[in-house]
Amino acid sequence: MLRTVRKLPMSTLKLTSLCSEHACFRKTKIRVLSLTWQNTGQRNYSYSPEDVKSLRSVINPHISRIRNIGIMAHIDAGKTTTTERMLYYSGYIRTLGDVDDGDTVTDFMVQERERGITIQSAAVTFDWKDYRINLIDTPGHVDFTLEVERCLRVLDGAVAVFDASAGVEAQTLTVWRQADKHQIPRICFLNKMDKNRASFTYAVESIKQKLKTKPLLLQLPIGEAKTFRGLVDVVTKEQIIWKPTSDMDDGKHFEQKPLLETDDPNLFQEVQDARNTLIEQVADLDDEFAELVLGEYSENFDLLPADKLQSAIRRVTLAQKAVPVLCGSALKNKGVQPLLDAITMYLPAPNERSYEFLQWYKDDLCALAFKVLHDKCRGPLVFIRVYSGSLKPQSAVYNINKSCTERISRLLLPFADQQIEIPSLMPGNIALTVGLKQSATGDTIVSSKASAVAAAQRAGRDTGRERRSSSDVESLLLAGVEIPEPVFFCTIEPPSMAKQQDLDNALSCLQREDPSLKVKLDPDTGQTILCGMGELHIEIIHDRIKREYGIETYLGPLQIAYRETILNAAQATDVLDKTVGDKRHFVTTELEVRPRLGDKAMTKPAIEYAESVIEVLPKELQGAIENGITNSCIQGPLLGFPVQDIDVTVQSLTMHPDTSHTMVSACVSRCLQKALKKAGIQVLEPLMNLEITVSEDHLSAALADLAQRRGSVQEIQSRQDNRVVVAAVPLAEMMGYSTVLRSLTSGSATFTLELASYQALNSQEQSALLQRKMGLV
Ligand SMILES: Nc1nc2c(ncn2[C@@H]2O[C@H](COP(=O)(O)OP(=O)(O)OP(=O)(O)O)[C@@H](O)[C@H]2O)c(=O)[nH]1
């Protein structure tokens, strides 16, 4: 984040269309198309159109040969650089891209290349040895955490990349927890072993302490920092040394041979000890292996064949009992090929993961749309992962989330800068679809509405519930990712009213790509409001509207998304009596509100009905009442911020038989506002977890600044030569913090900011805020 802005890409040339030739694949046509959205740099790809033949075998590989993996880490740990090396060694690209030169394959958005950070996850498909790897490079910046979680949803395994000089950093913890939630087996890659302060031991210890996991050391580095030149495979006791060749030091060539005692007696002993420890660790976690070790090989672990140990490591990794640890330096081209081998060897194939929902679908199609891209010529391109059944072009599919049937016109496999049109997509695989107009990121796609209902019924039976209605379907199926409420918002205006429609279109396209972006209308001013996860998030959206949609918009000042809650219980009544045409709408209602006590902030009110109401209330009216209550909570009575943590009881409701549901909602909504006002409103502000990594020299300046921001320091840790300050600070005090911290620390410090909770403003702060909002100060 505080890294100096990196160089602009040299070229903004559009990739020329490579080919649209037709080639035969078992009587089926395969077309190779160019990627039109990767329009910011000319790359040198290995697969030329003539190579289409070589792609035939990869179209639908056997499921056991597929690895859907993600690369995740703290910002700047080296995910994109590692991915770029993987693509190079696999033959996907012929020249190595560099994040600092802005010409990597996966960071293809202009903003990513300019800033040197990953914003959108990128999905690339390549082959390593006999395996198909679908790899997703995820963003490290905390504003894009949701993008990471969305991707984790479709991954079978992940590589967590660490900066070996920093160990576990703040964002690593967040993504690690997300991977725990989705039960994703992982491998750790200690990158940047060439850096001055790189320490294998320190990084491993930090994984043990902070991630509370059991690291399995599968490699030991040969040398550290400047002297880092290779590694030893602890399982096979082979040393792998990268030696620059005369013409190019691209890491393609390395020497792999057994490590002998005469090569380096100390290292030999270290490896011997590490292997014994590894065997003991794995035996502790895997009974089958323990039996083997205690039986045949108890006298001499040296005789234990490497493949037996590898199979056992695979089992414990898949069971998430431990995590293999590897090391290297992606930038210096060391350690990436063994990492690729480890991905194929230790991470699961799609059929080795267990998904509860699969039993409900049997062999029917069940797929997840996990990413949307907008292509100017072909409209939305939706990335789909198939879990069961198969997908074919020119077929109708049913989107459960949107309750609509859509048509897939084509299926494309993204391979380098080409897209290969494919005849079908089998379980476990990932591809791009053309033709889906409604589907958005996170939607569940099945073959038809009937198949969704059948799956829901099977699920209902399995869970011992009553037959479910079709409206219950979505709650049963592939759960999307929980989208946190945005903490920042601002108004956005087009240059003229004539451009409003274009802006609305651009925003709806961007929202389909990114569900963490929220757009709403200010009911008082009619202005469009943009809500995002952080300053960077909003900045990037603004920039994309300009560059990708050609609209120069004006953003209002960035504002904090406060919340409102109530201090006491209160009751209110309301009467609505309105005649529209010849119909009289008449409702009376009485509501009670109470503060809800609980750990988790909830913006959705808990709604109950008094006995007397529930006895006479027609079922269909319940929806209208609940809409009225929920809508009223979107805008609190004091400042118009969402109301959280309240319980509502509908004490009474009477109505004239002709009264429309809309009028019932309106009456309930108005009554709730009255009750909230009577209950006394407390404004809550977002409180953030802040983690600053700063050198000893600049620590006091950073702390002094923090004190002026109402920050409370919780802990100061040591991380190698740096200090890590862990603090809680109100978001309102953090506007423009990156600029201030940069100048205070000469650009050497970094920080991450993440929502912790909402805390009450004291009465002084609350009235000052009220005055500011009313324009009185
Ligand atoms: N010394 C050293 N630097 C590296 C290594 N790998 C990456 N870097 C540098 O670290 C910086 C960040 O690298 P990226 O690959 O963009 O890291 P990232 O994790 O993808 O970053 P985000 O996408 O922004 O989260 C760049 O300046 C890289 O050149 C490495 O092995 N050694």
Side-chain angles (χ1 to χ4, degrees):
M1 196 178 324
L2 296 175
R3 186 168 63 207
T4 47
V5 173
R6 291 167 182 169
K7 272 190 271 170
L8 268 163
M10 314 126 290
S11 131
T12 49
L13 283 180
K14 222 176 176 163
L15 282 178
T16 48
S17 175
L18 285 165
C19 181
S20 58
E21 291 301 304
H22 294 238
C24 281
F25 171 64
R26 290 195 196 122
K27 294 189 200 151
T28 319
K29 281 175 185 170
I30 302 168
R31 282 200 289 156
V32 184
L33 310 147
S34 69
L35 275 177
T36 51
W37 75 84
Q38 290 193 358
N39 58 358
T40 48
Q42 188 90 50
R43 293 305 311 273
N44 204 352
Y45 293 92
S46 277
Y47 295 101
S48 70
E50 295 75 40
D51 283 341
V52 171
K53 275 192 199 134
S54 69
L55 298 173
R56 289 179 188 173
S57 59
V58 299
I59 300 236
N60 268 316
H62 189 268
I63 193 162
S64 63
R65 298 267 154 190
I66 300 175
R67 296 290 179 271
N68 294 316
I69 60 147
I71 304 254
M72 54 186 221
H74 185 81
I75 190 163
D76 267 4
K79 297 176 293 296
T80 306
T81 309
T82 307
T83 306
E84 190 75 9
R85 269 50 182 179
M86 289 180 176
L87 299 180
Y88 181 67
Y89 299 131
S90 68
Y92 182 115
I93 47 174
R94 281 192 301 232
T95 49
L96 273 176
D98 192 323
V99 181
D100 303 302
D101 293 336
D103 63 350
T104 58
V105 172
T106 48
D107 281 356
F108 58 75
M109 271 169 68
V110 187
Q111 292 87 345
E112 294 179 318
R113 293 181 168 205
E114 282 180 7
R115 293 162 194 257
I117 58 166
T118 307
I119 292 166
Q120 280 194 339
S121 54
V124 278
T125 296
F126 61 91
D127 286 346
W128 177 250
K129 300 187 177 166
D130 288 337
Y131 289 84
R132 154 64 49 84
I133 298 183
N134 293 314
L135 181 143
I136 298 184
D137 178 21
T138 60
H141 193 285
V142 69
D143 281 14
F144 307 106
T145 304
L146 196 72
E147 179 83 9
V148 182
E149 185 153 359
R150 228 167 19 229
C151 295
L152 288 178
R153 189 71 190 73
V154 294
L155 299 177
D156 300 313
V159 176
V161 177
F162 300 78
D163 175 340
S165 68
V168 175
E169 297 173 86
Q171 186 63 4
T172 327
L173 265 172
T174 309
V175 289
W176 194 268
R177 271 188 233 121
Q178 288 171 332
D180 279 343
K181 188 167 129 195
H182 295 281
Q183 298 176 351
I184 309 236
R186 273 145 274 177
I187 288 177
C188 294
F189 180 60
L190 306 183
N191 188 34
K192 304 200 182 182
M193 283 301 300
D194 62 295
K195 263 180 85 172
N196 261 345
R197 290 191 299 269
S199 163
F200 184 78
T201 322
Y202 169 79
V204 169
E205 200 47 41
S206 126
I207 289 175
K208 237 189 255 173
Q209 300 299 330
K210 295 198 176 159
L211 302 179
K212 310 271 178 268
T213 188
K214 295 195 177 81
L216 302 177
L217 306 189
L218 304 194
Q219 297 174 342
L220 291 186
I222 304 181
E224 237 166 31
K226 279 201 181 102
T227 63
F228 177 67
R229 58 188 192 285
L231 36 96
V232 187
D233 183 326
V234 172
V235 178
T236 61
K237 292 204 279 185
E238 283 179 324
Q239 52 182 325
I240 306 173
I241 311 264
W242 278 265
K243 289 194 171 142
T245 51
S246 51
D247 48 344
M248 214 192 329
D249 183 12
D250 63 358
K252 262 194 179 164
H253 305 282
F254 52 85
E255 193 178 60
Q256 185 161 3
K257 57 177 188 184
L259 175 72
L260 303 176
E261 194 165 6
T262 47
D263 292 334
D264 182 338
N266 288 342
L267 183 62
F268 185 83
Q269 192 52 50
E270 258 183 67
V271 173
Q272 191 78 2
D273 295 345
R275 191 171 192 269
N276 290 344
T277 309
L278 178 65
I279 292 171
E280 282 164 14
Q281 266 183 307
V282 178
D284 274 348
L285 300 169
D286 186 85
D287 291 347
E288 186 184 329
F289 185 67
E291 240 170 70
L292 183 83
V293 171
L294 294 175
E296 261 176 85
Y297 304 104
S298 58
E299 296 300 311
N300 190 351
F301 284 176
D302 276 351
L303 300 177
L304 183 85
D307 63 334
K308 300 272 185 221
L309 181 52
Q310 281 159 345
S311 308
I313 294 171
R314 178 160 219 273
R315 285 195 298 273
V316 298
T317 309
L318 263 53
Q320 293 155 67
K321 292 179 182 166
V323 185
V325 175
L326 292 94
C327 64
S329 161
L331 189 69
K332 302 287 181 205
N333 308 319
K334 295 180 178 73
V336 177
Q337 297 95 329
L339 174 62
L340 280 164
D341 288 338
I343 287 170
T344 59
M345 205 180 294
Y346 301 120
L347 291 180
N351 56 346
E352 290 171 300
R353 300 268 291 143
S354 75
Y355 294 106
E356 193 196 15
F357 56 82
L358 284 186
Q359 51 176 327
W360 304 328
Y361 281 99
K362 304 204 162 182
D363 292 331
D364 270 0
L365 171 70
C366 176
L368 188 76
F370 68 96
K371 187 170 172 59
V372 177
L373 294 168
H374 280 91
D375 181 73
K376 290 230 162 62
C377 310
R378 287 169 287 174
L381 300 175
V382 182
F383 274 94
I384 296 251
R385 148 111 198 225
V386 174
Y387 290 88
S388 65
S390 66
L391 205 54
K392 289 205 161 43
Q394 301 301 338
S395 58
V397 289
Y398 182 71
N399 179 326
I400 297 182
N401 304 65
K402 302 281 179 315
S403 307
C404 69
T405 299
E406 292 209 80
R407 203 168 177 76
I408 289 181
S409 56
R410 290 146 76 196
L411 281 176
L412 306 169
L413 195 70
F415 223 84
D417 62 342
Q418 303 169 359
Q419 294 170 354
I420 304 147
E421 193 150 349
I422 54 170
S424 65
L425 190 65
M426 305 308 279
N429 234 330
I430 284 173
L432 268 172
T433 59
V434 185
L436 295 177
K437 299 268 184 295
Q438 310 282 324
S439 299
T441 300
D443 288 356
T444 301
I445 309 287
V446 298
S447 55
S448 64
K449 187 170 182 180
S451 112
V453 174
Q457 284 171 345
R458 271 179 226 130
R461 271 201 302 274
D462 286 0
T463 48
R465 270 173 285 192
E466 296 284 295
R467 258 189 69 219
R468 300 186 144 259
S469 68
S470 58
S471 64
D472 286 335
V473 167
E474 62 193 69
S475 60
L476 272 171
L477 305 177
L478 302 192
V481 168
E482 207 177 301
I483 300 168
E485 285 295 318
V487 285
F488 275 116
F489 70 96
C490 65
T491 55
I492 179 164
E493 282 177 30
S496 66
M497 281 316 285
K499 285 272 181 190
Q500 182 69 48
Q501 184 63 43
D502 292 347
L503 175 60
D504 292 346
N505 286 343
L507 288 172
S508 77
C509 288
L510 289 168
Q511 274 188 287
R512 278 187 67 195
E513 286 181 26
D514 173 6
S516 62
L517 170 70
K518 299 244 168 87
V519 178
K520 52 188 188 188
L521 267 189
D522 184 316
D524 300 326
T525 61
Q527 283 174 305
T528 307
I529 314 252
L530 211 56
C531 310
M533 307 305 294
E535 280 182 282
L536 183 63
H537 188 201
I538 292 200
E539 206 182 296
I540 298 286
I541 294 292
H542 183 219
D543 201 32
R544 288 188 66 188
I545 293 172
K546 182 173 160 193
R547 296 196 205 220
E548 293 170 32
Y549 297 89
I551 313 168
E552 186 78 60
T553 53
Y554 304 107
L555 291 188
L558 214 50
Q559 298 182 56
I560 307 291
Y562 292 93
R563 297 262 177 97
E564 297 180 21
T565 193
I566 52 173
L567 294 165
N568 310 299
Q571 285 187 338
T573 54
D574 205 342
V575 181
L576 182 144
D577 189 352
K578 211 171 197 170
T579 305
V580 181
D582 56 353
K583 266 193 183 168
R584 182 172 175 215
H585 301 266
F586 181 81
V587 200
T588 65
T589 189
E590 182 181 356
L591 302 178
E592 185 193 42
V593 291
R594 293 175 307 280
R596 186 198 304 154
L597 305 171
D599 291 343
K600 207 173 166 215
M602 306 271 277
T603 41
K604 220 170 174 232
I607 304 170
E608 290 169 7
Y609 296 87
E611 281 291 318
S612 53
V613 178
I614 208 80
E615 275 163 17
V616 292
L617 188 72
K619 262 250 168 292
E620 59 280 11
L621 250 194
Q622 210 168 313
I625 295 173
E626 288 172 14
N627 266 346
I629 294 175
T630 314
N631 288 341
S632 193
C633 287
I634 294 173
Q635 281 202 302
L638 191 64
L639 289 167
F641 291 112
V643 179
Q644 75 173 40
D645 298 335
I646 60 160
D647 290 336
V648 182
T649 305
V650 182
Q651 303 280 24
S652 74
L653 188 118
T654 52
M655 58 188 273
H656 193 282
D658 275 350
T659 307
S660 75
H661 287 188
T662 319
M663 293 296 176
V664 173
S665 290
C667 180
V668 169
S669 182
R670 207 168 61 184
C671 183
L672 187 73
Q673 287 283 319
K674 272 192 197 169
L676 292 173
K677 271 187 204 153
K678 277 170 97 179
I681 295 292
Q682 167 70 60
V683 177
L684 306 170
E685 65 173 343
L687 184 70
M688 310 301 281
N689 281 333
L690 170 70
E691 197 178 297
I692 315 167
T693 306
V694 60
S695 64
E696 183 75 59
D697 301 352
H698 296 112
L699 178 65
S700 49
L703 289 177
D705 173 70
L706 209 53
Q708 290 175 4
R709 295 176 186 270
R710 293 192 281 138
S712 64
V713 175
Q714 289 156 353
E715 204 184 346
I716 301 178
Q717 306 163 351
S718 294
R719 181 178 293 159
Q720 305 276 63
D721 294 346
N722 283 330
R723 294 282 172 270
V724 179
V725 180
V726 181
V729 70
L731 180 62
E733 305 292 339
M734 294 303 287
M735 296 285 196
Y737 185 61
S738 53
T739 317
V740 174
L741 188 67
R742 193 181 304 139
S743 75
L744 281 177
T745 64
S746 315
S748 64
T750 58
F751 75 93
T752 58
L753 199 62
E754 197 177 10
L755 180 66
S757 59
Y758 284 83
Q759 73 171 4
L761 286 180
N762 65 34
S763 55
Q764 257 176 335
E765 289 160 353
Q766 181 160 323
S767 56
L769 177 69
L770 206 60
Q771 296 214 332
R772 273 205 308 279
K773 292 281 171 196
M774 285 159 53
L776 298 178
V777 281

